[in-house]
Amino acid sequence: FDQVRVVANYIVTADLMATVIVGGGVDTLNASTSGWDVDAFAIEPAGTLFATPGFTASIATAASLAN
């Protein structure tokens, strides 16, 4: 991945998970977000986007509050 954003209860957890996901790719993204209480958004070099359901829901909630 070129970019990864992780939402977690603790900044250290988010930082660690983002680093692991960047290095591990899609399989690590899936394993990390199913085994830990985190949500993530990632972008591959070709531009493909990946987002966990919780991350997508957070964006939708924020967008509805902004309107």
Side-chain angles (χ1 to χ4, degrees), residues 9-53:
N9 289 331
Y10 300 99
I11 187 77
V12 174
T13 303
D15 184 49
L16 174 68
M17 290 304 220
T19 301
V20 168
I21 293 167
V22 164
V26 177
D27 290 336
T28 303
L29 170 70
N30 293 333
S32 298
T33 57
S34 66
W36 291 77
D37 186 20
V38 299
D39 286 298
F41 176 76
I43 305 170
E44 286 187 317
T48 305
L49 306 176
F50 295 85
T52 61

